Amino acid sequence: MKGLDFRKKRKKPPQRPRRKPGSSRLKFEDKRQKLHFERRHIVINAKVVVIWAVEILILCMAAVFLVLAFGERVSVAGDSMNPVLKNGDIVLINRLAYGIKSPSRGDVVAFRPNGDEDAHYQIKRIVGLPGETVQITDGSVYIDGEQVTDHVYVTGIDYAGLAEEPLELGKDEYFVMGDNASASDDSRTPEIGNVSRDDIYGKVWFEAGFGDNFGFVSD
């Protein structure tokens, strides 16, 4: 029985039909939410900016004015005002005080002797006022012939100097002394003499050196 083939023929698996171009595919809905960023436009208000700038300028000017008017610093040289002020103390000067009123007896003032711009500020207390006659007799101060103790904190003066004889002050002149008379060069000496109103820099009102005398300076 030649030529007979009894082997089983394998059947080929059915082929899947090919998808035609453009045929539909499975689609899945994308439920993710997309982020949306809102674009904000910054609007600059020119009026607000100008007002803000003016306010800053005014504050700066006010600060400078206050420093120049009340915060001018001067160092004390010597112990002529001891114990109220001591050598090395730092004091603040009120430069506006005498634009409102005239210096008074008892005020502690800063001045340059004879208007010398190169000289260090002297700090003394006003004893005699314009038009008065000052004399120092037996260690006491006399104004227009009467002994004065109010607002005059110096006693036991050993040296009368120019005030040994009656000394008449001009209409804009002041007689000044240090509270510690024995260590003070003041209106009694020819080097200083009477102090002109124009030479007074301002009123000493505060000791700012954070030392023993820190605080307001007494009149």
mmCIF file of all heavy atoms in Angstrom, residues 2 5 11 19 24 38 43 59 61 72 76 88 104 108 114 126 131 133 140 156 167 169 177 181 185 192:
data_model
loop_
_atom_site.group_PDB
_atom_site.id
_atom_site.type_symbol
_atom_site.label_atom_id
_atom_site.label_comp_id
_atom_site.label_asym_id
_atom_site.label_seq_id
_atom_site.Cartn_x
_atom_site.Cartn_y
_atom_site.Cartn_z
ATOM 1 N N LYS A 2 1.632 1.123 -0.943
ATOM 2 C CA LYS A 2 2.561 2.208 -1.102
ATOM 3 C C LYS A 2 1.847 3.432 -1.613
ATOM 4 O O LYS A 2 0.916 3.302 -2.413
ATOM 5 C CB LYS A 2 3.665 1.800 -2.060
ATOM 6 C CG LYS A 2 4.563 0.679 -1.529
ATOM 7 C CD LYS A 2 5.630 0.352 -2.540
ATOM 8 C CE LYS A 2 6.550 -0.737 -2.037
ATOM 9 N NZ LYS A 2 7.588 -1.085 -3.003
ATOM 10 N N ASP A 5 -0.604 7.853 2.750
ATOM 11 C CA ASP A 5 -0.059 8.634 3.888
ATOM 12 C C ASP A 5 -1.136 8.776 4.923
ATOM 13 O O ASP A 5 -2.191 9.388 4.682
ATOM 14 C CB ASP A 5 0.388 10.025 3.403
ATOM 15 C CG ASP A 5 1.148 10.782 4.492
ATOM 16 O OD1 ASP A 5 1.341 10.261 5.614
ATOM 17 O OD2 ASP A 5 1.552 11.952 4.213
ATOM 18 N N LYS A 11 -4.637 21.113 11.295
ATOM 19 C CA LYS A 11 -5.461 22.200 10.781
ATOM 20 C C LYS A 11 -4.864 23.530 11.202
ATOM 21 O O LYS A 11 -4.459 23.714 12.329
ATOM 22 C CB LYS A 11 -6.873 22.110 11.322
ATOM 23 C CG LYS A 11 -7.623 20.889 10.791
ATOM 24 C CD LYS A 11 -9.030 20.879 11.342
ATOM 25 C CE LYS A 11 -9.812 19.662 10.843
ATOM 26 N NZ LYS A 11 -11.195 19.659 11.361
ATOM 27 N N ARG A 19 -7.822 44.322 10.704
ATOM 28 C CA ARG A 19 -8.622 45.539 10.834
ATOM 29 C C ARG A 19 -8.323 46.474 9.690
ATOM 30 O O ARG A 19 -7.181 46.665 9.297
ATOM 31 C CB ARG A 19 -8.301 46.261 12.165
ATOM 32 C CG ARG A 19 -8.791 45.479 13.379
ATOM 33 C CD ARG A 19 -8.438 46.224 14.635
ATOM 34 N NE ARG A 19 -8.892 45.515 15.806
ATOM 35 C CZ ARG A 19 -8.621 45.871 17.070
ATOM 36 N NH1 ARG A 19 -7.893 46.946 17.251
ATOM 37 N NH2 ARG A 19 -9.087 45.167 18.076
ATOM 38 N N SER A 24 -12.517 51.520 14.329
ATOM 39 C CA SER A 24 -12.590 52.069 15.690
ATOM 40 C C SER A 24 -11.780 51.246 16.662
ATOM 41 O O SER A 24 -11.695 50.029 16.538
ATOM 42 C CB SER A 24 -14.055 52.127 16.139
ATOM 43 O OG SER A 24 -14.603 50.821 16.161
ATOM 44 N N GLU A 38 -4.995 81.407 36.536
ATOM 45 C CA GLU A 38 -5.591 82.692 36.163
ATOM 46 C C GLU A 38 -4.508 83.746 36.015
ATOM 47 O O GLU A 38 -3.650 83.914 36.886
ATOM 48 C CB GLU A 38 -6.581 83.132 37.245
ATOM 49 C CG GLU A 38 -7.295 84.424 36.903
ATOM 50 C CD GLU A 38 -8.252 84.839 38.004
ATOM 51 O OE1 GLU A 38 -8.388 84.078 38.981
ATOM 52 O OE2 GLU A 38 -8.842 85.919 37.873
ATOM 53 N N VAL A 43 -2.000 96.286 38.292
ATOM 54 C CA VAL A 43 -2.237 97.670 37.888
ATOM 55 C C VAL A 43 -1.598 98.595 38.924
ATOM 56 O O VAL A 43 -1.894 98.515 40.108
ATOM 57 C CB VAL A 43 -3.755 97.962 37.774
ATOM 58 C CG1 VAL A 43 -3.970 99.415 37.374
ATOM 59 C CG2 VAL A 43 -4.391 97.018 36.760
ATOM 60 N N LEU A 59 8.586 112.127 56.229
ATOM 61 C CA LEU A 59 9.128 111.467 57.414
ATOM 62 C C LEU A 59 10.641 111.664 57.515
ATOM 63 O O LEU A 59 11.169 111.913 58.599
ATOM 64 C CB LEU A 59 8.791 109.972 57.377
ATOM 65 C CG LEU A 59 7.327 109.600 57.665
ATOM 66 C CD1 LEU A 59 7.115 108.099 57.471
ATOM 67 C CD2 LEU A 59 6.937 109.999 59.083
ATOM 68 N N MET A 61 12.403 114.123 56.193
ATOM 69 C CA MET A 61 12.669 115.527 56.509
ATOM 70 C C MET A 61 12.392 115.822 57.976
ATOM 71 O O MET A 61 13.135 116.574 58.622
ATOM 72 C CB MET A 61 11.816 116.430 55.606
ATOM 73 C CG MET A 61 12.202 116.379 54.133
ATOM 74 S SD MET A 61 11.099 117.363 53.076
ATOM 75 C CE MET A 61 11.405 119.010 53.718
ATOM 76 N N GLU A 72 21.449 117.708 68.402
ATOM 77 C CA GLU A 72 22.854 118.051 68.158
ATOM 78 C C GLU A 72 23.678 117.681 69.396
ATOM 79 O O GLU A 72 23.358 118.090 70.516
ATOM 80 C CB GLU A 72 22.987 119.537 67.859
ATOM 81 C CG GLU A 72 24.359 119.958 67.408
ATOM 82 C CD GLU A 72 24.647 119.540 65.975
ATOM 83 O OE1 GLU A 72 23.686 119.250 65.243
ATOM 84 O OE2 GLU A 72 25.825 119.519 65.611
ATOM 85 N N VAL A 76 31.243 117.574 76.717
ATOM 86 C CA VAL A 76 31.631 118.501 77.779
ATOM 87 C C VAL A 76 33.140 118.388 78.001
ATOM 88 O O VAL A 76 33.672 117.289 78.182
ATOM 89 C CB VAL A 76 30.888 118.180 79.086
ATOM 90 C CG1 VAL A 76 31.339 119.110 80.203
ATOM 91 C CG2 VAL A 76 29.382 118.291 78.862
ATOM 92 N N GLY A 88 33.683 114.919 79.628
ATOM 93 C CA GLY A 88 33.405 113.773 78.767
ATOM 94 C C GLY A 88 31.936 113.452 78.587
ATOM 95 O O GLY A 88 31.597 112.624 77.735
ATOM 96 N N SER A 104 17.146 132.466 79.601
ATOM 97 C CA SER A 104 16.744 132.866 80.948
ATOM 98 C C SER A 104 17.862 132.609 81.949
ATOM 99 O O SER A 104 18.756 131.791 81.708
ATOM 100 C CB SER A 104 15.488 132.092 81.380
ATOM 101 O OG SER A 104 14.416 132.307 80.485
ATOM 102 N N VAL A 108 21.379 126.404 81.124
ATOM 103 C CA VAL A 108 22.712 125.925 80.762
ATOM 104 C C VAL A 108 22.810 125.999 79.245
ATOM 105 O O VAL A 108 21.989 125.409 78.534
ATOM 106 C CB VAL A 108 22.948 124.485 81.255
ATOM 107 C CG1 VAL A 108 24.332 123.997 80.838
ATOM 108 C CG2 VAL A 108 22.791 124.403 82.771
ATOM 109 N N ASN A 114 33.505 134.434 71.966
ATOM 110 C CA ASN A 114 33.789 135.498 70.997
ATOM 111 C C ASN A 114 33.470 135.083 69.561
ATOM 112 O O ASN A 114 34.028 135.624 68.612
ATOM 113 C CB ASN A 114 35.257 135.943 71.099
ATOM 114 C CG ASN A 114 35.627 136.395 72.500
ATOM 115 O OD1 ASN A 114 34.938 137.228 73.095
ATOM 116 N ND2 ASN A 114 36.696 135.830 73.047
ATOM 117 N N ILE A 126 23.738 130.613 82.617
ATOM 118 C CA ILE A 126 23.481 132.054 82.534
ATOM 119 C C ILE A 126 23.194 132.614 83.930
ATOM 120 O O ILE A 126 22.331 132.111 84.659
ATOM 121 C CB ILE A 126 22.304 132.342 81.590
ATOM 122 C CG1 ILE A 126 22.694 132.002 80.144
ATOM 123 C CG2 ILE A 126 21.867 133.795 81.697
ATOM 124 C CD1 ILE A 126 21.581 132.217 79.148
ATOM 125 N N GLY A 131 21.224 144.120 79.925
ATOM 126 C CA GLY A 131 20.814 145.347 80.614
ATOM 127 C C GLY A 131 21.046 145.329 82.106
ATOM 128 O O GLY A 131 20.930 146.378 82.760
ATOM 129 N N THR A 133 23.275 144.778 85.702
ATOM 130 C CA THR A 133 24.622 145.056 86.204
ATOM 131 C C THR A 133 25.016 143.939 87.167
ATOM 132 O O THR A 133 24.307 143.673 88.147
ATOM 133 C CB THR A 133 24.684 146.415 86.935
ATOM 134 O OG1 THR A 133 24.343 147.461 86.019
ATOM 135 C CG2 THR A 133 26.083 146.661 87.489
ATOM 136 N N SER A 140 29.679 136.095 96.499
ATOM 137 C CA SER A 140 28.264 136.033 96.130
ATOM 138 C C SER A 140 28.015 136.885 94.887
ATOM 139 O O SER A 140 28.763 137.836 94.602
ATOM 140 C CB SER A 140 27.381 136.530 97.292
ATOM 141 O OG SER A 140 27.534 135.691 98.423
ATOM 142 N N GLY A 156 30.515 130.745 97.105
ATOM 143 C CA GLY A 156 31.898 130.687 97.565
ATOM 144 C C GLY A 156 32.890 130.967 96.460
ATOM 145 O O GLY A 156 33.902 130.264 96.316
ATOM 146 N N LEU A 167 29.607 145.438 86.561
ATOM 147 C CA LEU A 167 29.783 145.181 85.131
ATOM 148 C C LEU A 167 28.422 145.246 84.454
ATOM 149 O O LEU A 167 27.547 144.407 84.688
ATOM 150 C CB LEU A 167 30.405 143.794 84.923
ATOM 151 C CG LEU A 167 30.636 143.349 83.476
ATOM 152 C CD1 LEU A 167 31.667 144.248 82.788
ATOM 153 C CD2 LEU A 167 31.105 141.894 83.438
ATOM 154 N N LEU A 169 25.873 144.916 81.444
ATOM 155 C CA LEU A 169 25.723 144.099 80.243
ATOM 156 C C LEU A 169 24.987 144.878 79.157
ATOM 157 O O LEU A 169 24.078 145.669 79.450
ATOM 158 C CB LEU A 169 24.946 142.821 80.563
ATOM 159 C CG LEU A 169 25.560 141.910 81.635
ATOM 160 C CD1 LEU A 169 24.619 140.754 81.947
ATOM 161 C CD2 LEU A 169 26.925 141.405 81.205
ATOM 162 N N MET A 177 28.519 131.633 84.003
ATOM 163 C CA MET A 177 29.477 131.059 84.929
ATOM 164 C C MET A 177 29.304 129.547 84.978
ATOM 165 O O MET A 177 28.232 129.017 84.662
ATOM 166 C CB MET A 177 29.288 131.638 86.342
ATOM 167 C CG MET A 177 29.647 133.105 86.490
ATOM 168 S SD MET A 177 29.524 133.674 88.215
ATOM 169 C CE MET A 177 30.799 132.688 88.987
ATOM 170 N N ALA A 181 32.853 126.996 90.217
ATOM 171 C CA ALA A 181 33.535 128.249 89.891
ATOM 172 C C ALA A 181 35.049 128.147 89.956
ATOM 173 O O ALA A 181 35.761 128.791 89.178
ATOM 174 C CB ALA A 181 33.046 129.352 90.829
ATOM 175 N N ASP A 185 36.548 128.716 83.538
ATOM 176 C CA ASP A 185 36.868 129.953 82.822
ATOM 177 C C ASP A 185 35.568 130.431 82.189
ATOM 178 O O ASP A 185 35.000 129.750 81.320
ATOM 179 C CB ASP A 185 37.917 129.692 81.736
ATOM 180 C CG ASP A 185 39.274 129.358 82.321
ATOM 181 O OD1 ASP A 185 39.583 129.845 83.424
ATOM 182 O OD2 ASP A 185 40.014 128.591 81.675
ATOM 183 N N ILE A 192 36.917 135.164 77.788
ATOM 184 C CA ILE A 192 35.514 134.865 77.441
ATOM 185 C C ILE A 192 34.666 136.123 77.581
ATOM 186 O O ILE A 192 34.002 136.552 76.644
ATOM 187 C CB ILE A 192 34.972 133.727 78.326
ATOM 188 C CG1 ILE A 192 35.715 132.423 78.002
ATOM 189 C CG2 ILE A 192 33.462 133.556 78.101
ATOM 190 C CD1 ILE A 192 35.266 131.218 78.799
#
